[in-house]
Amino acid sequence: MRRFNKHIGGKTFEHCRIPLKVTGADLSTGQIIVFESGLITEAVRASIADPAIFKPVFIKGDLVVDGGILSPLPVRVLHDAGVHKIIAVNVFPSAKDSLERHLLKEEAEEKETALVGQKIWPVRAAFHTKRYLAHLFSPNVFDILMNTIQCMESEIAEIEGSPLMCC
């Protein structure tokens, strides 16, 4: 935040030539908060408070985290503000993308195992020890939490980006 403050300083939403809206999620009420006045740095800090990574922010007694938890593709906020032409990009992988990535990973692991099988025994032993340890510590609670959140955000973003929902 020190670095961010150094570049943005005391700029407020009112300093912006193009209207700016930043979203956060109020965990106290389960509602989207739209920041459109006040210090930009405070709004951005709340908006990047990804659960399990960054500490949530208390704003007027409410616990605020990343707006993407409730609205990862916040086109509704823009539509409600009267914007008629919205260009939005959903960067979350779809279920199909995740499946393809998983299959490619399995294929690469099979190739790696075949290649290691041709190496001398110390290399094979190190490889299998590494695999065993990776399997022993995976998935961990953090991996499960992040994958769960990403799956939910992907589905919500897909719905928010559909023409029926955003217009």
Side-chain angles (χ1 to χ4, degrees), residues 13-164:
F13 284 84
E14 292 73 21
H15 287 107
C16 297
R17 287 183 291 192
I18 299 172
L20 172 65
K21 296 184 183 299
V22 176
T23 61
D26 183 344
L27 291 183
S28 306
T29 64
Q31 299 293 312
I32 291 289
I33 295 175
V34 180
F35 298 98
E36 48 194 343
S37 65
L39 291 172
I40 294 172
T41 53
E42 289 179 3
V44 170
R45 172 58 185 95
S47 180
I48 64 168
D50 236 351
I53 298 175
F54 294 110
K55 185 178 176 182
V57 177
F58 281 98
I59 297 177
K60 297 177 185 169
D62 295 323
L63 189 61
V64 182
V65 296
D66 179 8
I69 299 304
L70 296 175
S71 183
L73 195 68
V75 294
R76 170 70 62 196
V77 169
L78 296 174
H79 184 264
D80 291 349
V83 177
H84 298 293
K85 293 184 182 188
I86 300 169
I87 299 172
V89 178
N90 179 2
V91 297
F92 292 101
S94 67
K96 181 183 173 192
D97 294 333
S98 296
L99 177 61
E100 287 176 6
R101 185 177 60 228
H102 179 73
L103 293 174
L104 287 171
K105 181 180 175 186
E106 282 182 347
E107 185 180 315
E109 286 175 355
E110 286 174 12
K111 287 179 182 177
E112 184 180 25
T113 302
L115 286 173
V116 168
Q118 300 169 4
K119 303 288 182 181
I120 59 175
W121 75 267
V123 173
R124 290 193 311 268
F127 174 78
H128 290 295
T129 301
K130 178 181 141 191
R131 276 260 173 96
Y132 172 74
L133 290 173
H135 178 72
L136 192 63
F137 294 105
S138 181
N140 61 42
V141 173
F142 182 76
D143 290 336
I144 292 169
L145 175 63
M146 294 313 294
N147 286 340
T148 301
I149 291 170
Q150 188 176 35
C151 287
M152 290 187 302
E153 287 178 328
S154 175
E155 290 299 314
I156 295 168
E158 191 69 32
I159 292 166
E160 285 187 321
S162 70
L164 296 176

